[in-house]
Amino acid sequence: MTQQHNPAVFTQSLQGKTVLVFGAGAPLEDWNNGKAAAVAYARAGAQVVCVDKDLAAAKRSADHILGEGGEALALEADVCDTETVGKTVALAIEHFGKIDVLHNNVGIAPAGGPLDIDDALFQRTMDINVGSILRTTRAVLPHFLKQGSGVITNISSLASIRWSGYSYFAYYASKAALNQATVATALEFADKGIRANAILPGVIDTPLVYQQIAAQYDSIEHIKEQRTNAVPMKRTGTPWDIANAAVFLASDAAGFITGVCLPVDGGHSCAMPGMR
């Protein structure tokens, strides 16, 4: 189980800010990138809107924030539905009065190469992993433009720029597209007070990873050994490593950073060996 301790200190760096996190839910009694980001934002002083397709999962994240004395709202939304996304943004603004940060964490990673996946699965992957970015960004931009400020942080993957050792054709393609969509947004609105960046997680220890690749190994211990050895730092990352990067990018300390696709990977993107 991923620890809930956040070792970094961002005391009140987001005080007075409102953060909208799509994909903020997590499995029972565990932590993933979405929940860790939502909680890290709150610990930095932000009001957090926790959004997930699974409302119960969104409530778990929001309840954790509330239990720590923070401010949070749980909402249900399907990022593939334009109308629902628009209503979610409107509800967030109605509840907290504004949105300062949009955090996009929704994504899927179906296994298979070009000989294995059909058109429907490829299109679904692109619609969730890239189309969701379009829909959420399009929904918040009028608000950001009106207030003259806003931050967009999109969660990509190291697989967007490197072969991971696993056959995930649609995932690679969609995350690469997400990177350039982030850059395009950043540059188009750079002079409007709006920043956009992507975070590229490397080998991160999350529940979803073990579900996806378990069949390719003979044990969980083997998975952990192989993944750890692939990272130059000789450890896997945690959801907090991604969350801490997100809090920094949302803060005024990152006020001159936009259009960046930031690997958070223990040096993995700089190394020659693959993940296996």
Side-chain angles (χ1 to χ4, degrees), residues 185-230:
T185 303
L187 273 292
E188 181 171 352
F189 297 97
D191 62 348
K192 302 294 190 297
I194 298 169
R195 298 188 293 109
N197 297 290
I199 296 174
L200 282 53
V203 181
I204 307 298
D205 190 12
T206 65
L208 180 61
V209 168
Y210 294 108
Q211 295 174 21
Q212 290 178 329
I213 65 176
Q216 302 179 47
Y217 294 87
D218 52 21
S219 68
I220 294 295
E221 290 70 25
H222 188 206
I223 296 176
K224 291 182 177 180
E225 178 185 4
Q226 292 294 307
R227 285 165 58 80
T228 298
N229 287 336

Side-chain angles (χ1 to χ4, degrees), residues 17-24 38 41 46-52 73 75 77 85-86 88-93 96 98-105 136 139-140 144 151-153:
K17 303 288 188 180
T18 299
V19 182
L20 175 60
V21 181
F22 282 92
Y41 282 129
Q47 304 165 133
V48 184
V49 182
C50 300
V51 186
D52 203 277
L73 171 69
L75 295 175
V85 169
T88 300
V89 170
L91 285 171
I93 295 172
F96 286 121
K98 61 173 182 171
I99 299 171
D100 299 288
V101 180
L102 167 65
H103 181 106
N104 287 304
N105 184 68
T136 60
V140 301
F144 283 178
V151 175
I152 300 169
T153 300

Side-chain angles (χ1 to χ4, degrees), residues 25-50:
L28 284 169
E29 304 302 322
D30 218 325
W31 292 77
N32 60 7
N33 292 338
K35 182 179 179 181
V39 172
Y41 282 129
R43 289 176 179 175
Q47 304 165 133
V48 184
V49 182
C50 300

Side-chain angles (χ1 to χ4, degrees), residues 11-262:
T11 306
Q12 304 307 306
S13 64
L14 298 180
Q15 183 67 37
K17 303 288 188 180
T18 299
V19 182
L20 175 60
V21 181
F22 282 92
L28 284 169
E29 304 302 322
D30 218 325
W31 292 77
N32 60 7
N33 292 338
K35 182 179 179 181
V39 172
Y41 282 129
R43 289 176 179 175
Q47 304 165 133
V48 184
V49 182
C50 300
V51 186
D52 203 277
K53 190 174 182 179
D54 180 350
L55 182 58
K59 285 182 176 178
R60 284 194 290 271
S61 297
D63 287 346
H64 189 98
I65 292 170
L66 293 170
E68 292 188 349
E71 295 184 68
L73 171 69
L75 295 175
E76 179 181 2
D78 180 352
V79 293
C80 289
D81 186 280
T82 297
E83 183 178 356
T84 301
V85 169
K87 288 181 179 178
T88 300
V89 170
L91 285 171
I93 295 172
E94 179 183 345
H95 189 84
F96 286 121
K98 61 173 182 171
I99 299 171
D100 299 288
V101 180
L102 167 65
H103 181 106
N104 287 304
N105 184 68
V106 178
I108 61 171
L115 295 176
D116 306 309
I117 61 172
D118 58 21
D119 288 359
L121 181 55
F122 180 79
Q123 292 298 334
R124 179 170 178 264
T125 305
M126 296 298 290
D127 194 35
I128 293 174
N129 292 2
V130 188
S132 64
I133 304 300
L134 167 63
R135 283 181 280 271
T136 60
T137 300
R138 187 172 55 200
V140 301
L141 273 174
H143 178 69
F144 283 178
L145 289 169
K146 183 178 180 180
Q147 68 186 14
S149 64
V151 175
I152 300 169
T153 300
N154 298 322
I155 303 303
S156 182
S157 170
L158 189 58
S160 65
I161 60 172
R162 296 288 186 272
W163 164 252
S164 73
Y166 303 103
S167 183
Y168 286 107
F169 180 85
Y171 184 68
Y172 294 125
S174 62
K175 290 298 187 177
L178 182 155
N179 290 357
Q180 192 59 14
T182 303
V183 171
T185 303
L187 273 292
E188 181 171 352
F189 297 97
D191 62 348
K192 302 294 190 297
I194 298 169
R195 298 188 293 109
N197 297 290
I199 296 174
L200 282 53
V203 181
I204 307 298
D205 190 12
T206 65
L208 180 61
V209 168
Y210 294 108
Q211 295 174 21
Q212 290 178 329
I213 65 176
Q216 302 179 47
Y217 294 87
D218 52 21
S219 68
I220 294 295
E221 290 70 25
H222 188 206
I223 296 176
K224 291 182 177 180
E225 178 185 4
Q226 292 294 307
R227 285 165 58 80
T228 298
N229 287 336
V231 182
M233 293 181 70
K234 298 306 176 188
R235 73 169 179 87
T236 57
T238 75
W240 295 113
D241 292 310
I242 308 307
N244 292 335
V247 171
F248 167 68
L249 289 173
S251 72
D252 291 341
F256 201 52
I257 299 175
T258 195
V260 168
C261 296
L262 175 67

